[in-house]
Amino acid sequence: MDGHGETAEQPPWYAGPQTFLRAPLVGFDAIRPGTTVISGAPHSLRSRFGERGGPRGIREGSLALAERLGNARREGFVDVSTGKRLFLPSKTRLVDVGDLNVYPSDVMRTTEGIAGGVAEVVRRGGFSVCLGGDHYVGYPSCLGYTRGLSERAPHARVGYIHIDGHLDFADTSGSYGKYNNGTNARRISELPAVVPSSMVFIGIQGPCFLEQVESLRRLGATIFTSEDVEVLGPAEVGRRAGDLAIKGCDHIYISFDIDVIDAGFFDGTGSVTMGAMTAQTLFKILEPLSRYPIGSMDFVETAPPLDPSGRSPLLATQALLKILTPRIFEVE
Amino acid sequence: MDGHGETAEQPPWYAGPQTFLRAPLVGFDAIRPGTTVISGAPHSLRSRFGERGGPRGIREGSLALAERLGNARREGFVDVSTGKRLFLPSKTRLVDVGDLNVYPSDVMRTTEGIAGGVAEVVRRGGFSVCLGGDHYVGYPSCLGYTRGLSERAPHARVGYIHIDGHLDFADTSGSYGKYNNGTNARRISELPAVVPSSMVFIGIQGPCFLEQVESLRRLGATIFTSEDVEVLGPAEVGRRAGDLAIKGCDHIYISFDIDVIDAGFFDGTGSVTMGAMTAQTLFKILEPLSRYPIGSMDFVETAPPLDPSGRSPLLATQALLKILTPRIFEVE
Amino acid sequence: MDGHGETAEQPPWYAGPQTFLRAPLVGFDAIRPGTTVISGAPHSLRSRFGERGGPRGIREGSLALAERLGNARREGFVDVSTGKRLFLPSKTRLVDVGDLNVYPSDVMRTTEGIAGGVAEVVRRGGFSVCLGGDHYVGYPSCLGYTRGLSERAPHARVGYIHIDGHLDFADTSGSYGKYNNGTNARRISELPAVVPSSMVFIGIQGPCFLEQVESLRRLGATIFTSEDVEVLGPAEVGRRAGDLAIKGCDHIYISFDIDVIDAGFFDGTGSVTMGAMTAQTLFKILEPLSRYPIGSMDFVETAPPLDPSGRSPLLATQALLKILTPRIFEVE
Amino acid sequence: MDGHGETAEQPPWYAGPQTFLRAPLVGFDAIRPGTTVISGAPHSLRSRFGERGGPRGIREGSLALAERLGNARREGFVDVSTGKRLFLPSKTRLVDVGDLNVYPSDVMRTTEGIAGGVAEVVRRGGFSVCLGGDHYVGYPSCLGYTRGLSERAPHARVGYIHIDGHLDFADTSGSYGKYNNGTNARRISELPAVVPSSMVFIGIQGPCFLEQVESLRRLGATIFTSEDVEVLGPAEVGRRAGDLAIKGCDHIYISFDIDVIDAGFFDGTGSVTMGAMTAQTLFKILEPLSRYPIGSMDFVETAPPLDPSGRSPLLATQALLKILTPRIFEVE
Amino acid sequence: MDGHGETAEQPPWYAGPQTFLRAPLVGFDAIRPGTTVISGAPHSLRSRFGERGGPRGIREGSLALAERLGNARREGFVDVSTGKRLFLPSKTRLVDVGDLNVYPSDVMRTTEGIAGGVAEVVRRGGFSVCLGGDHYVGYPSCLGYTRGLSERAPHARVGYIHIDGHLDFADTSGSYGKYNNGTNARRISELPAVVPSSMVFIGIQGPCFLEQVESLRRLGATIFTSEDVEVLGPAEVGRRAGDLAIKGCDHIYISFDIDVIDAGFFDGTGSVTMGAMTAQTLFKILEPLSRYPIGSMDFVETAPPLDPSGRSPLLATQALLKILTPRIFEVE
Amino acid sequence: MDGHGETAEQPPWYAGPQTFLRAPLVGFDAIRPGTTVISGAPHSLRSRFGERGGPRGIREGSLALAERLGNARREGFVDVSTGKRLFLPSKTRLVDVGDLNVYPSDVMRTTEGIAGGVAEVVRRGGFSVCLGGDHYVGYPSCLGYTRGLSERAPHARVGYIHIDGHLDFADTSGSYGKYNNGTNARRISELPAVVPSSMVFIGIQGPCFLEQVESLRRLGATIFTSEDVEVLGPAEVGRRAGDLAIKGCDHIYISFDIDVIDAGFFDGTGSVTMGAMTAQTLFKILEPLSRYPIGSMDFVETAPPLDPSGRSPLLATQALLKILTPRIFEVE
């Protein structure tokens, strides 16, 4: 509890504690089945400096939106296009467990720190949303997800959707070795619960490493390039990806790299892509996708220190909410 | 007069006084009927820090364009698509009266300061362009406009076009109260000269507060969402908005919030919207709109201190000119 | 509790929750007599933009130091000059109650929000450290202190030490009115518990308003200018100030404005002073001062958004610790 | 050679020397016919501050991509849409000769410095890529190209493609005179080897100076406006431009100003255009264009110091590679 | 006149026109004998980018101080150390004539533009304060001063005080030639009215070019190094410099380069010096110096675009006022 | 060789290749006995982001000074206080071997990469100057130095001078382990060639870890605190440190951390210290120190990305030159 406890009104965005959307900061034991659980994994090694600042920055950036949501608690929202109404439930469906254990000079210990935290969330029935950090975080997060899931459902099979400008499917990345943000999807493909033929990559852009593309084809995975999105239409890509990922699987894990959009529209990210999709297009992919049985997710590569305009974390929050909305709101 | 008086050439953009497009800095008594009159209202309370720097920043940013216009005085411009030619008239149609009175710790006194200045402009027959500041400035600016207008045309009726990503139609905004950049359109709807059924909102994006949408519907106002713009086409939305706003009215007041475009394309603004329209789309809305009988306007939410790249004020000038061009140029 | 609970090691500075020095975030009911209690008052109206970011920025900046202190918990520190040893007590003497209530468009309501929070801290026996915000915060903080104190010791008398480059003793500040960061010391002089002749101003620099100097002289207050510090020596000024402030009083309230040091050495502050003292000099004043019976304090005018180098909050933490050290460490 | 010589692995992007894409830094005598030769021309006078930082910034920005290409040396890339494969040839086709001579206070001497360097590259059979600097650099670069070419092929005729938001076809620019980034295309039209009716301008946007448009029409040049690109489609514009420029010519010189894309998507440039094309659109123009017989080129107006997010040089590298790819890769 | 004309109160610092200390913006014909006249010379060629932004930045930075001075108009200031009182006279002694003519690509034409403006100020009896720009501005400013002076007093002799970390006494600076910020003092030494043996250099720091030191010695000029200031004491250096400069002369011209202080204390300057004097020391030199018969001055090398903290122009204003105070205030 | 080869004049600071002071970029085989050899070690793990940018930033920052030195090649410098003259020898005594091998995710492999490079320099008789990176770099640099030295002089004994605000003498630093910028001096004390009782620490500031101080005392090492420097005088500390370090030793290794000066005067560094010494004081320590038989050195913790004013690398160059001057100049 903080000093704002006495007032029924929302504090201004620049006051009060910095949890995601002002969700309660709790320990693992407060997680109930179905709760959406935010955690942070401030790890980055490769790319440009800055992804370590992701979890902290996104939480702070989410407060401008939280200021608005605070009022919606009473009034509710409406989507003027569809007429659908959104209400914040009286009992919160969203909590924040803070940052998981990271060790700047020890990648494998960091891997266990993140995986252990996510596994604990999933074991208790939570929907885990792990905020990176660079895209390597996707691997320990998915590792933790499959560990936690295996305790609740030992035979559950998991499909995988990789939203990103890049494949991240190298077996090893030059001097960075086997555990970094160029190998995360490869490491995930090696997890026992993950079904390689249900791995779907959306938004891939530019020339790709030949070896990675051929390995994915051998595994039966699917790639939707930026150009495919333009040809098929984003909503159709969202639906096809969902169908392919859930096929033969019980749940989908989503690994969401914000650099899937053109870096011209997003300052604060490490791996810059030019000529990629717009936010408008991305949102049309996410809309149908958010209705599939997603089990857990990560949200990576937001690098607030690289964006002196300060917009990136506010934009990142809006992108993440496109997936979280059905989970944290009541929709009529 | 400044030290540049002796030369017939334009000073470089980083020299000379900082009025909008190098318009003469004048007192109210220099305003003639039909003159376009720039004023500043450096007020902001809510959003992110920075909109207070709007008037000063836009004036400075306009000088890069003024450097080019200075030469056009002799040569003229041509629109290569349409063949239309633009000339700067020998007698300027544009003046700048500097900043209106604001009082940082007293919102109501600031409201009177801005309204008083705008009313004086309008009373003398000027076309008032009030540069914010945050969107709250729209209310005192429109208040001043209707006051000034009532002296020249006591029974004039005013339509209202709100170009913005947000409705700003709350009756009260949490701890900010009734007078801020979430309530400005509501306050305007309460002005006697404004016709609520001629209020038109363009570019609304994301979930809206249910109470605001229902209130607007009861009043007979019209909302064109970002999605409507995509479906109907921007030029058609511009025309429909103009028709709806002028219906039963003598003049249209335009309140123009730059955050109607996606914040991914505009660093320097306070309320960040992701997935909104591009500048190209916006310009296609403004083109037909600029030909309706607009009485006065405000231009708000440019926050130069939030944009260390320095582009925002230059971009803002170009957006504003899409409306001002028929007023300050001779078009053949 | 956050995800770091499982490890005995300190998280890196960029991970984990952002309380001051990683102190527990608690409600008022956790305050015990003698506890040092950090609160935030993110309020600013006048100066340059940015002091609103003070509490959040200082908390975040303090974490680099907390990383070091975490190890000191086991090892302890030593001052190599004096041989004195510092240990962090096993039971923390420091808590953080988060931010107090502020209302951006209503100064008087903000005044009550801050004063109410501080009074509650003091009522429970806490040593209140209120982080601004601009220097106006000094008034509601001292107001709350005397209110809380009066319940525990109805007749207690309070001396006042104002560490600042400016007097802040105007009765009214132009269009800003009576409640802002130019009037805070004047408002404090009007509090019943404060003894005007025990008011001491340290570090005053540059030309001062004649009316303010004369008013202070009439009240019997003492001014140590920047030049006095040079002539008398900083340690002597610290001692004289302590003696003067405690004379006839039970406790001293300290209002500490970081702009007492030359702005050439501190980027992130609003009211810039050139030619003022260095940090080395300031620390020599604070050393003797920290041993007087200080009752509570504020620490104001750190404006992290104005300092893109990010050093200011780290420096601010070090300055504040010069006063807090005897309270939160065990000294041998 | 640098300290990395001992390792077969690529250094991380922030280590090692800063040549374009880690090409060898060589003297002119190492140039072989067909080699692509990068040089820098850090000259800027007009626009906003910053284009002088272009060559250095682009080289540094290219290293993130070089890190990836280093691995491709072994693996190769594939374009997942077309199935085409790209390999880096074992013998590099790309070298960097460093910066050419510039003299900040003497435009004509700078002109000779740049032209002399480019002429030397072309004389030796190199494909010259001169990195600006502001767009004035286009003139000395093309001047040098035609000089060098005339030694190898005395009667060769050159077509010209100007990719830019602006015409740059003034005869004189106010107080800047005849040699600056508003006159470069005019000066080029006066070169003996250049065929005025094979001059093509792509991406022109906003109102243009009447005199410039009329002069171009008299010369038989072609203008594709931003709107033409939308109506005809970008690939079609690329093809038409190539056909027009090569007609009656032996080679095409390309002058590529990055401000042809909307400044909302590109922070680091001097002359800001709003409402211009996106990077996606630009890339579709460049794809067919890159297959015409281009003789040499310049790449101007990237201003890294204006972009504190640091993305601009990384984006610029990707745009430039759209033209260079067929020259520096083996394509299967 | 601007919209603030109606109120007796000072506008906040971020509102209103941007003249130095809110002095009236006037033409040359408003200058009366004894008036202090601010002009701007936004010229820079060498150093780091940014000095071109000096005049505009200093004017804007001066407004924070102007806000305070506005109230002093009624109350007056007091120097608490000396008891001296300062009042702003009812009739302003300070005007601002805006920027003088500069031509970015033509140094000699810029020289005439600045010299012509300053000469006009001096011809009318004004005390000219020319704001740079880089230190080259010192030459045209002093040239204009001696030209204007020669009309009022044909035989007047001028002493010269150069406050700077560097001698700027090269005859030619590599590829920059003879007219730049490394040669300005040499060019001044060649003016007929200037007495070389009355040239005094204060604050010189680091190794100096041998040729420059020997030339100055031959001319009989005096150098006070940074170390001399430490040994002799700053006040003594101020007095000696004044005595030496006025000896055999009627007036002193001061050329004041802000990089005389250590760049560690001043972000926004082009030529960085480490280990130079502090602002406190500088102020002690200026205090006695300001009482000598100074005829005119320049104030150069403030580069606001290089200082993202925004302090430099506020600090620069305070440094400049150390000399201007006896001229624009009434002192009792 | 680059395109500047044809001109005898220095290029402007923003043009040409980025070696330290424009020294030739060479391979190890070009090193001759007595040559000063710059290398880079862009490694950082702990502190704030940014030290990885040190080597690149310092090289770039050194070019402003190189522009001046280029002219001195002909003219020479003079120290106006002492009359000593400095000339650049016709044959350069300074080379740059580029960056040594670093591996971002593998500290021990990085340690070998740096140590191997430095050993090679020393083996060939070079004076190695290794630019960090964070202070951990000091350990592999000194390790390499002693390795290389042992081949030339198997029984040589080495004294150690640590110029820093912090001891860096932890055995292990929390979760960072044994190899980071808190343990570097401890690791060095364990090297066989280093004489612990000849280890001297200068500039230590603030509370120190008790365990570290006691370990150093047991080893017979000496600590000069910031306060000792004030009491003894900086030149005396420089002399005493030199005497203590060379006692019983053949050479001194210097590890120079720029955070020994107050972070208020130096933006771009990771570990911020307030109240530490000024640059003026530091320079007085270095002057006598530079005359002892120094064998090699490192220069660490400059973090250019943390300093948006861009001054830090320019200042860093000046600090480093205080030690290098007797090695790269001829002094008369």
Side-chain angles (χ1 to χ4, degrees), chain A residues 273-323:
Chain A
T273 50
M274 194 185 205
M277 67 179 76
T278 65
Q280 278 192 324
T281 300
L282 173 64
F283 286 4
K284 286 176 190 158
I285 297 175
L286 298 180
E287 209 276 325
L289 209 52
S290 70
R291 291 194 296 264
Y292 282 83
I294 306 167
S296 279
M297 70 180 293
D298 59 73
F299 184 71
V300 297
E301 295 283 352
T302 298
L306 294 178
D307 176 8
S309 81
R311 294 168 304 161
S312 296
L314 288 84
L315 295 170
T317 302
Q318 296 182 36
L320 179 52
L321 273 187
K322 292 287 159 186
I323 298 187

Side-chain angles (χ1 to χ4, degrees), chain A residues 52-106:
Chain A
R52 281 199 268 186
R56 184 168 289 174
I58 293 172
R59 285 183 178 111
E60 180 163 338
S62 76
L63 301 183
L65 195 57
E67 198 185 292
R68 296 188 73 204
L69 292 179
N71 295 318
R73 216 168 274 278
R74 285 185 292 272
E75 301 179 20
F77 285 115
V78 63
D79 182 324
V80 282
S81 315
T82 63
K84 272 191 195 158
R85 298 175 179 197
L86 304 173
F87 295 92
L88 273 176
S90 55
K91 196 144 178 302
T92 187
R93 296 172 176 176
L94 180 76
V95 301
D96 189 328
V97 293
D99 290 335
L100 305 177
N101 292 330
V102 296
Y103 305 89
S105 59
D106 191 336

Side-chain angles (χ1 to χ4, degrees), chain D residues 262-318:
Chain D
D262 193 308
F265 318 143
F266 196 87
D267 295 59
T269 194
S271 298
V272 161
T273 50
M274 193 185 206
M277 70 180 74
T278 65
Q280 279 192 324
T281 300
L282 172 64
F283 285 5
K284 287 176 189 157
I285 297 174
L286 297 179
E287 208 276 326
L289 209 51
S290 69
R291 291 194 297 262
Y292 282 85
I294 306 168
S296 280
M297 69 180 295
D298 60 71
F299 184 70
V300 297
E301 296 284 351
T302 298
L306 295 176
D307 176 8
S309 82
R311 295 167 302 159
S312 296
L314 287 84
L315 295 170
T317 302
Q318 298 184 36

Side-chain angles (χ1 to χ4, degrees), chain F residues 310-327:
Chain F
R311 296 167 302 160
S312 296
L314 287 85
L315 296 169
T317 302
Q318 297 184 36
L320 178 53
L321 274 186
K322 291 288 160 187
I323 298 186
L324 298 188
T325 288
R327 278 165 188 76

Side-chain angles (χ1 to χ4, degrees), chain C residues 1-154:
Chain C
M1 199 202 87
D2 77 316
H4 275 100
E6 291 91 296
T7 177
E9 285 161 19
Q10 284 293 311
W13 59 266
Y14 51 82
Q18 289 153 274
T19 59
F20 186 73
L21 288 175
R22 302 233 186 261
L25 180 67
V26 301
F28 291 132
D29 48 5
I31 300 170
R32 300 286 167 266
T35 308
T36 295
V37 182
I38 303 290
S39 66
H43 167 87
S44 67
L45 260 189
R46 207 182 178 192
S47 308
R48 297 194 291 156
F49 311 112
E51 295 89 347
R52 281 200 267 186
R56 183 167 292 175
I58 293 171
R59 284 183 179 111
E60 179 163 340
S62 75
L63 300 182
L65 196 57
E67 199 185 290
R68 296 187 73 206
L69 291 179
N71 294 319
R73 213 169 278 277
R74 286 184 291 272
E75 303 178 20
F77 286 115
V78 63
D79 182 324
V80 282
S81 317
T82 64
K84 273 190 194 157
R85 299 175 178 195
L86 305 173
F87 295 92
L88 272 177
S90 56
K91 194 147 180 296
T92 188
R93 296 173 177 176
L94 179 76
V95 300
D96 188 329
V97 293
D99 290 334
L100 305 177
N101 292 329
V102 295
Y103 305 90
S105 60
D106 189 336
V107 176
M108 296 322 295
R109 202 174 167 205
T110 296
T111 303
E112 280 306 308
I114 299 169
V118 172
E120 186 61 28
V121 169
V122 176
R123 196 173 289 132
R124 292 168 181 275
F127 175 83
S128 171
V129 181
C130 186
L131 307 175
D134 74 22
H135 210 155
Y136 177 63
V137 164
Y139 168 61
S141 169
C142 189
L143 170 63
Y145 169 64
T146 58
R147 275 194 199 158
L149 183 64
S150 72
E151 295 195 21
R152 297 172 64 92

